[in-house]
């Protein structure tokens, strides 16, 4: 019904940059929320940055000033620009979205497949 496809990620040195992109496709009337979470080994999945239903952004304190989230509404994509990377940013980054799929208000909520980000010291 809806797919989230992530791209980007990979290996970077501390202080470097990476860019992630997530594209939603399928039955999309409106993207209600869309953003990025991450999961480090042995830890719970946590919010990195996300656009909320009212159009504002939520961002983890640990990435403020270093990461920027942006979106192209017409393409149903959300990008995450990650600068000044730190080893503790290492993890699997997942795109997450809540999407309205028809005009009755039915919604879909789910995750992308995840993309690995590794930051070496």
């Amino acid at each position: 019904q809806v797919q989230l496809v992530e791209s980007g990620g990979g290996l970077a040195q501390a202080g470097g940059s990476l860019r992630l992109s997530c594209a939603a496709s399928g039955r999309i009337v409106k993207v209600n929320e869309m953003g990025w979470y991450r999961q480090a080994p042995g830890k719970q999945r946590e919010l990195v940055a996300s656009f909320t239903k009212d159009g504002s952004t939520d961002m983890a304190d640990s990435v403020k000033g270093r990461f920027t989230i942006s979106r192209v509404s017409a393409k149903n994509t959300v990008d995450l620009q990650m600068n000044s990377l730190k080893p503790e940013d290492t993890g699997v980054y997942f795109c997450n979205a809540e999407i309205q799929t028809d005009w009755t208000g039915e919604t879909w909520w789910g995750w992308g497949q995840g993309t690995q980000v590794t930051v070496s010291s």
Side-chain angles (χ1 to χ4, degrees), residues 2-8 19-25 31 33-36 69-72 75-80 93-97 99 108 110-115:
V2 176
Q3 297 83 38
L4 300 177
V5 178
E6 299 133 336
S7 60
R19 188 177 184 88
L20 306 181
S21 184
C22 177
S25 63
V31 176
E33 297 181 332
M34 194 167 177
W36 290 92
I69 188 169
S70 61
R71 64 182 171 184
V72 179
K75 295 183 178 180
N76 297 318
T77 62
V78 170
D79 292 346
L80 184 69
Y93 283 66
F94 296 91
C95 182
N96 173 263
I99 293 172
W108 175 93
W111 300 92
Q113 78 281 3
T115 185

Side-chain angles (χ1 to χ4, degrees), residues 17-78:
S17 298
L18 288 172
R19 188 177 184 88
L20 306 181
S21 184
C22 177
S25 63
R27 292 179 60 187
I28 300 172
V29 171
K30 179 184 176 184
V31 176
N32 292 333
E33 297 181 332
M34 194 167 177
W36 290 92
Y37 288 69
R38 68 186 178 190
Q39 188 165 17
K43 295 187 177 181
Q44 289 188 329
R45 196 170 296 187
E46 63 176 1
L47 171 72
V48 177
S50 181
F51 286 102
T52 65
K53 290 181 180 179
D54 64 5
S56 62
T57 56
D58 281 341
M59 186 168 283
D61 289 341
S62 61
V63 306
K64 287 180 180 177
R66 301 188 297 122
F67 291 11
T68 303
I69 188 169
S70 61
R71 64 182 171 184
V72 179
S73 299
K75 295 183 178 180
N76 297 318
T77 62
V78 170

